[in-house]
Amino acid sequence: MALTRSDLYVRAQRLIPGGVNSPVRAMRSVGLDEPLFMRSGSGALIEDVNGNRYIDWVLSWGPLLFGHADAETLATVADALVRGTTFGAPTEGEVDLAAEIVDAVPSVEMVRLVSSGTEAAMSTVRLARAATRRDRLIKFSGNYHGHVDALLASAGSGMMTLGIPSTPGVPSGVASDTIVLPYNDVDAVAAAVAQYGEGLAAILVEPVAGNMGVVPPAPGFLEALRMLCDACGALLVFDEVITGFRVARGGAQERYGVTPDLTILGKIVGGGLPAAAFGGRADLMERLAPVGDVYQAGTLSGNPLATAAGTSVLRRLRDPAVYDGLEQRGARLEAGLERFGTVQRVGAMLTLFCQDDPVRNYDDAVRSDTDRYGALFRHALDRGIYLAPSQFECMFVSLAHGDEEIDRTIEAVGDFFDS
Ligand SMILES: *Cc1c(COP(=O)(O)O)cnc(C)c1O
């Protein structure tokens, strides 16, 4: 017999901490007593175990650029599946996916495949430290780079949502090498570089912030980071786990014309299966074992199913119609939501902040009315629309969202604010 959402949640809480395998999934901050348990998805629609259907604006937090159960992705994965799920030895699929990434992302000359964005960020930090022989890092408050020890300070959505400022279990020695600065604040970065520049290994940044809601880079911000890194010999690292293949085929670095030394990729790169990557200049990447001395490895890295899914998606991104379509859908959604609060959008990522002021950084973001957002979330859910279960996340636009899904969403949000 199929279990309902409540049955599953009771059972899950006995077996899995909090009943979930990633904290934001508990959906507590939007006032739900129990999370939705999903059963299936198709295109822009998702269905929970109780048989309710929703227009899905979460899309597994971004990977599904062509929507759920995309036919081409399924066929490619099915073809790979019958040939075996993992070999722990090189396969052609890895080379194909690497070629697509290198072709698409301007700064990436060589790439290594891993299984999650966290793993990619962790390995990138190690490589940057090895290459510069320095330890210090700069990151920005409200930016998230996975749950990497050194990068967990002021780390955006998950921790903002749960009200956790920093996390026990990170050794103070590790945390003390990380300098946390306000996003979009060039003066603060310049001052930190003046003080710590000689010991600075890297500046890590989400080139469009997505983990405190969408916060675009202020004009000149990314360019200034590039200059400051060059001036002190630190590496510039773009975390494009969300923005990669989303805000342009080549990510934010293509869209804004600023070239980082290293790039972290995830989400879309795996086409909905567990794959992520990090890449950059060949001279840096060749510091990795086995050619170099920086150790990094993974049993399931470059997994055949994940590379098949990723390649199937990335190959289709060569068609400029993909980005025209995403832009057009994003613009329609933005135009419809604009009058309800501060809407910030870059291409196919958008946040409606429950406030009226522009959001440039973390301090601005937390001024949003999260209770009102929670009420909006529940109102929309009752009308068959699944918004992000946190104010500090994006709505992810996909090619599976048609005018009808967009307009129904605007209407549901509208009758919440107008009532
Ligand atoms: C999701 C995300 C990560 C972490 O990726 P996981 O696959 O969840 O480990 C890292 N950086 C950014 C910008 C992300 O949005």
Side-chain angles (χ1 to χ4, degrees):
M1 193 200 71
L3 294 176
T4 67
R5 168 182 173 192
S6 303
D7 302 331
L8 280 171
Y9 190 44
V10 168
R11 190 164 181 227
Q13 281 178 293
R14 281 200 301 265
L15 299 167
I16 302 168
V20 294
N21 284 309
S22 200
V24 184
R25 293 183 196 173
M27 306 186 189
R28 280 195 205 147
S29 77
V30 287
L32 296 198
D33 299 330
E34 47 189 34
L36 302 178
F37 278 74
M38 302 306 183
R39 173 162 77 191
S40 64
S42 172
L45 295 180
I46 197 165
E47 187 176 314
D48 72 12
V49 290
N50 291 13
N52 302 308
R53 291 187 168 192
Y54 309 95
I55 297 170
D56 183 9
W57 292 103
V58 182
L59 286 174
S60 190
W61 309 95
L64 304 174
L65 206 55
F66 294 96
H68 291 280
D70 162 63
E72 201 170 319
T73 306
L74 295 189
T76 313
V77 173
D79 183 60
L81 179 64
V82 294
R83 283 181 278 123
T85 59
T86 179
F87 305 105
T91 58
E92 188 173 348
E94 295 166 82
V95 187
D96 289 341
L97 181 57
E100 286 301 321
I101 296 168
V102 168
D103 190 75
V105 186
S107 71
V108 175
E109 294 172 358
M110 295 186 99
V111 64
R112 179 150 284 175
L113 304 179
V114 296
S115 299
S116 75
T118 294
E119 201 188 343
M122 180 188 81
S123 301
T124 301
V125 165
R126 182 179 305 143
L127 178 59
R129 285 174 162 165
T132 56
R133 290 194 242 163
R134 300 168 173 186
D135 290 339
R136 277 220 164 84
L137 306 169
I138 286 177
K139 79 169 287 280
F140 296 96
S141 55
N143 281 14
Y144 178 63
H145 306 292
H147 59 101
V148 176
D149 275 0
L151 303 174
L152 261 183
S154 190
S157 168
M159 292 163 76
M160 287 166 89
T161 302
L162 299 171
I164 301 176
S166 63
T167 202
V170 176
S172 53
V174 172
S176 66
D177 277 330
T178 305
I179 302 157
V180 183
L181 300 175
Y183 196 74
N184 275 331
D185 188 339
V186 174
D187 293 343
V189 185
V193 166
Q195 191 173 352
Y196 302 108
E198 279 181 16
L200 190 66
I203 298 180
L204 287 97
V205 65
E206 284 185 70
V208 176
N211 285 286
M212 51 180 158
V214 174
V215 180
F221 177 59
L222 299 175
E223 291 82 352
L225 298 183
R226 179 68 277 174
M227 273 172 39
L228 288 163
C229 280
D230 291 342
C232 73
L235 300 178
L236 180 60
V237 178
F238 276 8
D239 182 342
E240 299 232 38
V241 171
I242 289 180
T243 53
F245 315 104
R246 174 167 292 279
V247 302
R249 177 170 174 250
Q253 54 198 271
E254 176 189 323
R255 192 171 178 118
Y256 296 98
V258 176
T259 306
D261 300 293
L262 293 169
T263 299
I264 303 165
L265 296 165
K267 301 197 168 109
I268 292 172
V269 83
L273 272 81
F278 63 105
R281 282 179 10 224
D283 64 302
L284 293 171
M285 293 303 291
E286 288 194 319
R287 285 294 305 273
L288 292 174
V291 265
D293 54 356
V294 181
Y295 196 71
Q296 189 282 331
T299 302
L300 292 177
S301 292
N303 172 263
L305 304 187
T307 55
T311 306
S312 138
V313 168
L314 263 51
R315 279 199 175 139
R316 279 178 276 168
L317 307 184
R318 292 169 179 262
D319 180 356
V322 166
Y323 293 95
D324 292 345
L326 289 171
E327 178 61 33
Q328 180 247 317
R329 287 163 172 79
R332 187 183 184 98
L333 185 62
E334 179 181 7
L337 296 180
E338 217 152 47
R339 67 189 181 91
F340 306 122
T342 296
V343 173
Q344 298 193 165
R345 176 180 75 90
V346 177
M349 54 195 285
L350 175 152
T351 299
L352 167 60
F353 291 98
C354 288
Q355 63 164 301
D356 295 323
D357 296 324
V359 175
R360 294 146 306 185
N361 56 35
Y362 178 88
D363 287 346
D364 291 347
V366 295
R367 278 196 284 272
S368 304
D369 184 343
T370 52
D371 289 341
R372 192 142 171 83
Y373 183 83
L376 168 65
F377 173 89
R378 297 190 303 275
H379 172 95
L381 198 67
D382 286 342
R383 283 152 190 80
I385 291 153
Y386 177 48
L387 302 174
S390 163
Q391 167 72 92
F392 308 114
E393 296 283 352
C394 319
M395 290 176 83
F396 289 112
V397 178
S398 79
L399 289 172
H401 291 101
D403 289 351
E404 195 202 318
E405 284 82 16
I406 295 169
D407 294 347
R408 268 186 57 198
T409 302
I410 294 167
E411 201 180 311
V413 173
D415 53 56
F416 172 76
F417 283 103
D418 293 335
S419 67

